[in-house]
Amino acid sequence: QLVESGGGVIQPGRFVRLSCAVSGFTFSDHTMYWVRQTPGKGLEWVAVISNDGSKKYYADSVKGRSVISRVNSKNTLYLQVNSLRTDDTATYFCARDPGRNFLTGSSHMDVWGEGTTVIISS
Amino acid sequence: DIQMTQSPSSLSAYAGDRVTITCRASQTISNNLNWYQQKIGKAPKVLIYTASNLQSGVPSRFSGSGSGTEFTLTISSLQPEDFATYYCQQSYSLPLTFGPGTKVEIK
């Protein structure tokens, strides 16, 4: 089970730190993703982190102002997005890959949280 | 970046109909293509991974095929609970990209 938290109404220019609490499986065995969805629109991959945290990649839309991290001992995934813009308004989902690494032959998102909504507004 | 397109953008069909959704990639992605179903207010759910592998627990009326740049998701006999939006997603290279979605409505 994945449970996101940390969303809310935030002013432009500030930051948000999202958390994803994991239970029911061995967190340290899995790559994890953040994916967001803007109101009424499609899905956008945001960031990915390998099982041990050694590899991290970001979408261009958040690169340079976001950090994905994980604490395996706490079974928790994080995403901090700084310098928030109105186009960061979205529901943010965390998702699991069945494998330790991404871009393997069978990479996909097999378990998802229900999402946490971030609204950027002054 | 690899661009994903889907057709149609929406469709309406009767329960029991066979439904096919097409996904195209802007460059070859081998078989690194996944399909997700999303119902209103819910998180996406994986149906098919690596083009043709049925995710555990997903009804066998769902199937996927294709490789290279063209892929299809088929629902062999549409059920009322299949009302949802369907997305394809490539896992061949970063950035990971999703198609724009196909909204399926039941007549």
Side-chain angles (χ1 to χ4, degrees):
Chain A
Q1 184 183 10
L2 308 179
V3 179
E4 302 93 338
S5 61
V9 180
I10 306 163
Q11 291 181 328
R14 300 189 67 89
F15 73 95
V16 66
R17 191 185 196 212
L18 306 178
S19 300
C20 172
V22 167
S23 61
F25 62 90
T26 303
F27 182 52
S28 59
D29 282 347
H30 297 271
T31 274
M32 297 295 294
Y33 304 94
W34 286 100
V35 174
R36 69 185 181 183
Q37 185 167 37
T38 50
K41 295 198 176 173
L43 299 162
E44 179 189 17
W45 167 74
V46 174
V48 61
I49 185 168
S50 59
N51 70 309
D52 60 0
S54 62
K55 289 178 261 188
K56 308 174 185 182
Y57 293 93
Y58 303 89
D60 284 348
S61 57
V62 301
K63 192 180 295 181
R65 60 187 185 96
S66 296
V67 177
I68 186 173
S69 61
R70 63 192 296 162
V71 179
N72 285 346
S73 61
K74 293 187 176 181
N75 290 334
T76 305
L77 173 73
Y78 302 97
L79 178 71
Q80 180 162 325
V81 184
N82 303 314
S83 303
L84 285 163
R85 313 186 299 222
T86 54
D87 62 0
D88 293 318
T89 294
T91 296
Y92 287 74
F93 297 98
C94 59
R96 184 188 86 166
D97 191 291
R100 292 173 179 254
N101 287 301
F102 45 92
L103 299 185
T104 65
S106 60
S107 287
H108 58 282
M109 301 171 193
D110 68 340
V111 180
W112 293 66
E114 287 303 311
T116 186
T117 299
V118 175
I119 299 171
I120 310 306
S121 175
S122 54
Chain B
D1 297 4
I2 297 174
Q3 308 302 318
M4 308 300 294
T5 58
Q6 289 182 234
S7 60
S9 57
S10 66
L11 67 91
S12 183
Y14 291 100
D17 283 353
R18 182 182 183 88
V19 168
T20 298
I21 299 169
T22 299
C23 174
R24 291 185 174 87
S26 60
Q27 63 188 75
T28 184
I29 58 171
S30 185
N31 64 345
N32 297 123
L33 190 283
N34 308 310
W35 289 99
Y36 300 88
Q37 175 194 67
Q38 186 178 32
K39 297 184 178 180
I40 294 175
K42 297 294 187 181
K45 168 189 168 184
V46 65
L47 301 175
I48 302 288
Y49 63 94
T50 322
S52 60
N53 292 283
L54 188 69
Q55 177 71 8
S56 175
V58 173
S60 59
R61 64 180 179 272
F62 292 94
S63 64
S65 64
S67 66
T69 61
E70 188 160 330
F71 303 84
T72 58
L73 173 71
T74 299
I75 309 172
S76 61
S77 178
L78 194 66
Q79 299 300 303
E81 61 266 30
D82 299 336
F83 164 72
T85 300
Y86 295 82
Y87 296 94
C88 60
Q89 176 248 325
Q90 64 83 16
S91 56
Y92 181 80
S93 67
L94 296 178
L96 304 178
T97 46
F98 290 84
T102 295
K103 187 174 182 179
V104 174
E105 297 175 318
I106 308 295
K107 279 185 182 176

